[in-house]
Amino acid sequence: MKKYDYFLFDLDGTLLETEELILECFKHSLKLVYNLKVPDEKLVNKIGLPLKDQVKLICLENQLREIPFAEFQAIHMNHQLKIWRKFIKLFPQVRETLTQLQEKNKKLAIVTSRKMPTTELYLKHTKIFDFFPVIITPEKTTQHKPKAEPALKAMEEMKAKKARTLFIGDSIYDMQCAKESGIDSYLIRWNESWNDHKKVIYPTNYQEKNLTKVLQFI
């Protein structure tokens, strides 16, 4: 069994259950701005991209004229900050898994498409912020997932070796980011029905239904 010393974690859908929150925010924003209702599956398959890229794709698919992104972002995030406490929680065994990795002196980082203010807010709320001395958000890179730059930036800050680094995520964008970075990846399949529905072929080294299996690599 291959061993790793550096572990990069996506945030939304990997460590935190945020899918319902994200969907609620999109439904609110799209209704308010465009009077548009988009099926959940058309929104879910964009989770993992930066918000700006998600909005661009939604507008393209529905032949909508994009409003200035700052305006949409303000509506979307203001609503999120009103309702997030009802939704944010850790997936099962997340804190216990991170604790065991830390106890084995493994180096941990967050690589997320979520911007820093809510990334920090949600990590602190769920009491896992201190596990991650390195946090890469879209403000820190020019290119974002699925491009390699976010993972490469995390590895640079960690002084990590590619051969000893594993990227753990739940979306195709995480797996593509890992592949472009030249590192191994671990697809977490918390929601089996969602992954099956998309019928996506993931370029990944490992696929698991829970996070604790990552401990086999230490």
Side-chain angles (χ1 to χ4, degrees), residues 2-3 8 18 30-31 33 57 69 73 77 86 95-96 108 131-132 140 166 168 176-177 193 197 212:
K2 188 172 181 178
K3 303 299 181 183
L8 313 183
T18 55
L30 293 171
K31 176 68 175 175
V33 176
L57 286 172
F69 174 68
Q73 183 181 42
M77 295 309 300
K86 295 187 289 186
R95 187 177 290 105
E96 293 82 355
L108 312 181
F131 286 105
F132 300 103
K140 289 195 171 185
L166 183 65
I168 300 100
Q176 289 171 336
C177 177
S193 61
H197 174 78
T212 57

Side-chain angles (χ1 to χ4, degrees), residues 39-51:
D40 285 359
E41 62 268 21
K42 294 290 188 178
L43 297 173
V44 166
N45 64 16
K46 296 170 182 62
I47 295 176
L49 292 171
L51 179 61

Side-chain angles (χ1 to χ4, degrees), residues 2 28 32 60 66 75 107 119 139-140 190 208:
K2 188 172 181 178
H28 170 83
L32 193 63
L60 185 64
E66 287 185 66
I75 293 168
K107 307 303 181 185
T119 293
E139 297 95 323
K140 289 195 171 185
W190 292 115
E208 299 291 351

